[in-house]
């Protein structure tokens, strides 16, 4: 496999060991197809970065680190790559580090590796846990600004948050479901990918607050720790439906929506109203087919722009305070779905 990159650079980009990358590059046996694909993707990413580095102007190389399902990381990658072009001639180069599930210690280790390797900034979607906050603090001491994306770490030394008001998003979901169910009432299945993410916790708090205050005839039951994967989330949803015949609505905070719908179908149960988050490819298809009713969407390109500006601001004036910039929440139906990604 011809390429101009060092094995250690490919390994860092792919999140693999140098020994594993060496086996792939030299065509040795015992390599899984998924590992081969990760190495190929890492080389392609390094080629993009190299192209950007030769385009002239000032270059700010940043690392985007996310623990999230692939359907959302794909949408984020598109948003950041699309928004990069608007900042020429001040060129941003983005290195992406995505995993569907990571242990806090692994996330902290990755952040430390990025810090030691060098970067102009980190954009981070991660759980609000002590290990991650400590790694953010180490980055800050090293002069590396960290911007949280979609879910915040408010008690850390991050310089800015780029995303929507998650509590308001949850309140909006409660209003939509409450008005739709009306006096008939029922029970809402709230799906959370993991209780470790502050953004998801804030959505649920906002949702429960409005339901409790304005729609007391509607009950709430929660499933958590499906990590947005279809298999785990579907299993949790099926168990919740088997245990509670009153569930007739869904507020999907954590994803896995195809699997949740499949669980309702397998149980022979209708869904009166389904509210989801984010216009990823899955939700676009489900919305267009009328299988979910509403998507609470915020523009990821706006978030990318906010993150770029925060990092640029710190590069120009290290002591400068970065103002908060929240992206707006849009209620999307099958009839007002925006085009594009």
């Amino acid at each position: 496999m011809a390429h101009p990159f060092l094995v250690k650079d490919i390994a860092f980009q792919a999140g693999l060991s140098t020994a594993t990358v060496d086996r792939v590059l030299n065509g040795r046996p015992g390599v899984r197809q998924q590992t081969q694909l990760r190495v190929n993707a890492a080389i392609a990413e390094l080629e993009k970065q190299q192209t950007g580095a030769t385009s002239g102007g000032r270059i700010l190389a940043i690392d985007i680190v996310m623990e999230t399902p692939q359907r959302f990381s794909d949408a984020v990658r598109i948003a950041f790559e699309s928004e990069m072009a608007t900042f020429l001639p001040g060129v941003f180069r983005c290195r992406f580090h995505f995993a569907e599930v990571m242990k806090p210690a692994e996330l902290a280790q990755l952040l430390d590796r990025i810090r030691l390797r060098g970067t102009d900034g980190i954009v981070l979607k991660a759980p609000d846990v002590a290990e991650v906050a400590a790694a953010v603090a180490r980055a800050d001491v090293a002069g590396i600004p960290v911007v949280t994306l979609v879910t915040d770490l408010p008690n850390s030394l991050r310089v800015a948050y780029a995303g929507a008001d998650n509590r308001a998003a949850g309140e909006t979901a409660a209003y939509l479901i409450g008005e739709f169910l009306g006096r008939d009432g029922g029970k809402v299945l709230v799906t959370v990918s993991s209780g470790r993410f502050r953004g998801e916790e804030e959505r649920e708090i906002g949702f429960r607050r409005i339901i409790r205050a304005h729609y007391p005839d509607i009950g709430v039951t929660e499933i958590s720790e499906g990590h947005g994967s279809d298999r785990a989330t579907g299993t949790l949803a099926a168990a919740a439906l088997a245990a509670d015949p009153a569930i007739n609505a869904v507020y999907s905070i954590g994803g896995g929506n195809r699997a949740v719908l499949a669980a309702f179908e397998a149980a022979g149960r209708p869904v009166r109203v389904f509210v989801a988050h984010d216009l990823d490819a899955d939700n676009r298809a489900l919305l267009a087919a009328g299988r979910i009713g509403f998507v609470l969407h915020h523009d990821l390109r706006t978030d990318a722009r906010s993150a770029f500006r925060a990092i640029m601001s710190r590069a120009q004036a290290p002591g400068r305070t970065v103002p908060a910039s929240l992206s707006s929440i849009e209620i999307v139906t099958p009839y007002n779905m925006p085009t594009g990604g």
Side-chain angles (χ1 to χ4, degrees):
M1 188 182 296
H3 59 84
F5 309 109
L6 296 174
V7 169
K8 67 177 182 179
D9 290 335
I10 299 170
F12 182 82
Q13 187 69 43
L16 298 169
S17 69
T18 53
T20 298
V21 171
D22 185 70
R23 283 202 303 274
V24 173
L25 296 178
N26 289 286
R28 297 194 181 98
V31 175
R32 294 182 302 168
Q33 183 182 14
Q34 185 64 30
T35 303
Q36 175 77 61
L37 292 173
R38 283 176 68 178
V39 171
N40 292 344
I43 292 172
E45 190 65 49
L46 289 167
E47 287 171 346
K48 279 190 201 177
Q49 294 169 20
Q50 189 176 62
T51 301
T54 61
S55 62
R58 184 176 184 189
I59 299 170
L60 291 175
I62 67 173
D63 291 84
I64 300 164
V65 180
M66 298 176 60
E67 179 187 342
T68 195
Q70 183 175 345
R71 58 182 166 267
F72 187 66
S73 64
D74 286 346
V76 168
R77 181 190 291 268
I78 291 169
F80 273 79
E81 289 183 341
S82 299
E83 197 60 28
M84 270 193 290
T86 68
F87 281 83
L88 292 171
V91 178
F92 278 96
R93 291 167 49 206
C94 293
R95 297 181 288 244
F96 296 96
H97 312 271
F98 297 151
E100 297 212 333
V101 180
M102 294 183 75
K103 295 177 181 178
E106 293 171 339
L107 254 172
Q109 184 180 51
L110 174 57
L111 292 172
D112 284 338
R113 287 170 61 199
I114 291 169
R115 169 176 56 82
L116 293 170
R117 185 181 192 238
T119 183
D120 291 304
I122 297 171
V123 179
L124 177 64
K125 179 185 180 292
D128 188 9
V129 295
E131 295 98 321
V132 173
V136 171
R138 290 190 289 271
D140 183 75
V141 168
I144 298 169
V146 177
V147 177
T148 51
L149 181 71
V150 180
T151 182
D152 199 9
L153 305 174
N155 299 316
S156 72
L157 292 178
R158 57 92 171 128
V159 301
Y161 165 67
D165 182 332
N166 285 305
R167 197 163 299 208
E171 292 169 347
T172 302
Y175 173 77
L176 292 171
I177 290 174
E179 292 296 304
F180 195 96
L181 294 180
R183 295 182 181 275
D184 294 339
K187 184 169 278 190
V188 184
L189 179 67
V190 176
T191 74
V192 178
S193 74
S194 175
R196 299 177 303 147
F197 290 98
R198 180 174 284 267
E200 295 194 6
E201 179 185 36
E202 290 177 343
R203 289 174 182 177
E204 186 183 9
I205 288 171
F207 182 82
R208 287 183 180 272
R209 187 185 77 80
I210 296 300
I211 291 291
R212 186 170 55 248
H214 300 288
Y215 308 100
D217 294 332
I218 297 175
V220 177
T221 188
E222 176 196 329
I223 58 173
S224 183
E225 306 312 313
H227 301 288
S229 74
D230 284 343
R231 177 178 294 182
T233 303
T235 299
L236 291 167
L241 291 171
D244 193 340
I247 296 173
N248 62 349
V250 178
Y251 174 35
S252 172
I253 296 174
N257 298 332
R258 289 186 183 277
V260 173
L261 288 165
F264 273 87
E265 289 171 357
R269 301 265 289 277
V271 184
R272 289 203 57 200
V273 58
F274 194 123
V275 178
H277 277 274
D278 304 314
L279 271 180
D280 55 36
D282 273 7
N283 283 343
R284 279 183 173 274
L286 293 173
L287 194 62
R291 301 190 67 200
I292 59 180
F294 304 97
V295 170
L296 299 178
H297 172 63
H298 71 279
D299 184 15
L300 288 170
R301 286 193 62 171
T302 299
D303 296 341
R305 194 177 312 128
S306 296
F308 285 147
R309 285 175 175 165
I311 291 169
M312 202 176 240
S313 177
R314 275 303 178 99
Q316 293 167 348
R320 180 184 298 171
T321 300
V322 179
S325 179
L326 296 177
S327 48
S328 60
I329 300 163
E330 181 181 1
I331 300 171
V332 181
T333 74
Y335 304 101
N336 71 332
M337 202 176 345
T339 58

